[in-house]
Amino acid sequence: MTLKFLVNKLLPTVFVLLASATALNAAGGEVSSHAYQLHEIMGMPITNSMLTTWVIALALILAVRLAVGTPQLIPTKGQAVFESVYSGLESVMEPIVGSKLINKVLPLLICLFLFILINNWSGLLPGVGAFGFKDAEGNLNYFFRPANSDLNTTIALAAIAMLGWLYFVLRYAGIKLLAHDLFGNKAEKDSTPLPLYFFLSLVFLLVGLIEVVSIGIRPLTLSMRLFGNILGGETLLAKIIDMLPWYVPGALPFYLLETLVGLIQALVFTLLTAVYIGLICNHEEEH
């Protein structure tokens, strides 16, 4: 039995069996749309989704520190992995936000992408959504819950993304450019008849008001899109696992599907954040 066989054949099968035996099976095929409160500290409730985000954040920090350590001119294997992720996202995001802003925006985008990706995949780990304690009413409260299946987590992520958008827009574009981009007349005044120019000014003003409404609902669309997809995936897995005995790896195709969905949703969230920033700040090619 070679190492290649263990890695490529045996370990994935064992992982799926363990996950099928534990993940969400105790819920009887049901996934709650809200997190459970595990404890309370100084009046602040501590939920299982919060606990999951803390564990993942700590794991990411430790993974980067242990894999990279002190950056070297000749990178180690761990440093090369993270540099590949960095350069890959940089090549995707640079045309969107612009070459002048990419090095300033990329840390935020990388943090969002990795944190959302691992949280999306956390529901596939054995033990998540399976172990906990019973409350006074006899309900089982799980210690760990896929964080992005909790609307509070996705709202917080959307708020961070929009605060980042606001900072970069005000810092590197300015209020004047923002106001012109939203409400300003984009027609050339010298080559446009004056009556038509004033009419276009009114049109652009109305379009700007619609754009303000669009900006206002961006946090809602970002958070609901991510929440809906992850909660839907968790519900699907719970139903499939509840229908099958623990030793039947019939959920494998759905685990692969949710792995792909988690990656796509993390990339969509990050790309939309980059697009929102680039729409205002990336005007490098205009003049």
Side-chain angles (χ1 to χ4, degrees), residues 30-101:
E30 298 295 332
V31 180
S32 173
S33 59
H34 62 275
Y36 300 121
Q37 181 174 331
L38 301 177
H39 195 58
E40 187 174 299
I41 299 177
M42 300 178 63
M44 183 182 72
I46 305 300
T47 66
N48 50 3
S49 61
M50 293 172 62
L51 182 60
T52 305
T53 59
W54 293 345
V55 171
I56 288 176
L58 180 61
L60 282 174
I61 293 172
L62 291 177
V64 173
R65 293 300 301 171
L66 293 175
V68 177
T70 302
Q72 302 177 15
L73 184 61
I74 301 178
T76 61
K77 291 182 179 179
Q79 182 180 338
V81 170
F82 283 98
E83 286 183 356
S84 298
V85 174
Y86 185 95
S87 60
L89 285 175
E90 182 181 25
S91 63
V92 173
M93 302 299 173
E94 184 174 356
I96 300 174
V97 301
S99 58
K100 293 182 179 179
L101 203 62

Side-chain angles (χ1 to χ4, degrees), residues 6 23 29 46 81 84 133 144 156 172 218 263 271:
L6 287 173
I46 305 300
V81 170
S84 298
F133 63 93
F144 297 100
Y172 297 102
R218 283 175 184 175
L263 174 62
L271 280 173

Side-chain angles (χ1 to χ4, degrees), residues 13-33:
T13 303
V14 172
F15 176 84
V16 171
L17 288 174
L18 288 173
S20 300
T22 58
L24 296 168
N25 208 25
E30 298 295 332
V31 180
S32 173
S33 59

Side-chain angles (χ1 to χ4, degrees), residues 54-172:
W54 293 345
V55 171
I56 288 176
L58 180 61
L60 282 174
I61 293 172
L62 291 177
V64 173
R65 293 300 301 171
L66 293 175
V68 177
T70 302
Q72 302 177 15
L73 184 61
I74 301 178
T76 61
K77 291 182 179 179
Q79 182 180 338
V81 170
F82 283 98
E83 286 183 356
S84 298
V85 174
Y86 185 95
S87 60
L89 285 175
E90 182 181 25
S91 63
V92 173
M93 302 299 173
E94 184 174 356
I96 300 174
V97 301
S99 58
K100 293 182 179 179
L101 203 62
I102 183 63
N103 291 330
K104 301 176 179 65
V105 177
L106 195 57
L108 171 66
L109 299 179
I110 287 180
C111 288
L112 284 174
F113 176 75
L114 291 179
F115 186 76
I116 293 173
L117 178 65
I118 303 303
N119 271 292
N120 288 351
W121 286 349
S122 63
L124 306 178
L125 299 176
V128 176
F131 303 111
F133 63 93
K134 289 188 176 181
D135 57 19
E137 299 177 355
N139 299 318
L140 185 61
N141 295 343
Y142 304 109
F143 291 127
F144 297 100
R145 170 195 178 92
N148 288 338
S149 64
D150 180 9
L151 186 58
N152 294 294
T153 305
T154 59
I155 289 175
L157 289 168
I160 291 172
M162 294 310 298
L163 286 174
W165 169 84
L166 183 62
Y167 168 78
F168 287 114
V169 166
L170 295 180
R171 175 69 175 81
Y172 297 102

Side-chain angles (χ1 to χ4, degrees), residues 243-267:
M243 293 168 55
L244 300 173
W246 69 269
Y247 51 82
V248 177
L252 177 59
F254 299 95
Y255 273 85
L256 298 176
L257 174 63
E258 289 308 308
T259 301
L260 180 60
V261 169
L263 174 62
I264 292 174
Q265 289 304 314
L267 188 59

